[in-house]
Amino acid sequence: MMFSLNPATESALYLTRTFNVSKDKVMKAWLEAGALQKWWGPAASMDWKPKVGNTFRFDYPLVTGEKSAVVGEFRDISDDMLVLSWVGEGGKKALGGTLVTVEFRKVGKGTELALTHELLPTGTARDAQRTEWLGRLERLGQSLA
C-alpha cells in the first residue's frame, strides 16, 4: 500500500492511496453497504443505497454523548467514479454543503483511489476532514488486506 498527500487549497482536500487489490474490490468496498460499514468507522447507523439521486446518511455517537451525522446525495456513479454531496450535522464538526469525489484508477495490479473533498469553508475544516479521511482510508486499507 502506498499513500501520498497532494497539495490542498484552503477549500479543497486531495488525497490519493494505492491499494494492492483490484479496482472491483476497492469499488465494492465503497458501493456495498455491508462492506462500507466494515471499514467506515464508528457509525451507529447507516443508510447507504448507491444510486444517482438517492440520499444517504451516517449517524455517529460522539464521545461527548452528542450525536453527529453526515448526509448527502449520490450525484454520479460510474465504473471509475463516485460523486457525493456531503453535509455534516451536529456536534462541533458541523459542515456546510461540500462535495466528495472518489476516483478509482487501475495501476498495474492494484488500484489508485483519488479522493477530492471540496467547497470546504475554511482551512481548519479542511484539516479536520483530512484527519477523518486519513483514518477512513487507513481502515479501508486494512479491510482490503
Side-chain angles (χ1 to χ4, degrees), residues 97-112:
T98 64
L99 190 67
V100 173
T101 302
V102 184
E103 298 174 83
F104 307 93
R105 301 179 188 114
K106 185 176 190 287
V107 289
K109 294 182 181 179
T111 304
E112 180 185 70

Side-chain angles (χ1 to χ4, degrees), residues 22-32 77-82 104 111:
S22 71
K23 187 172 93 169
D24 288 343
K25 189 170 182 178
V26 178
M27 289 187 74
K28 178 180 176 181
W30 279 84
L31 295 176
E32 292 185 6
I77 302 170
S78 71
D79 290 339
D80 299 313
M81 189 178 339
L82 174 64
F104 307 93
T111 304

Side-chain angles (χ1 to χ4, degrees), residues 8-14 95 97-99 116-127 129:
T9 65
E10 182 151 317
S11 64
L13 169 65
Y14 306 100
L95 186 66
T98 64
L99 190 67
T116 304
H117 192 157
E118 56 192 316
L119 305 176
L120 295 161
T122 64
T124 301
R126 180 209 54 226
D127 293 345
Q129 288 303 305

Side-chain angles (χ1 to χ4, degrees), residues 28-53:
K28 178 180 176 181
W30 279 84
L31 295 176
E32 292 185 6
L36 180 70
Q37 197 153 25
K38 287 179 183 176
W39 64 267
W40 187 260
S45 65
M46 178 183 290
D47 178 16
W48 185 260
K49 297 174 187 88
K51 181 180 175 187
V52 173

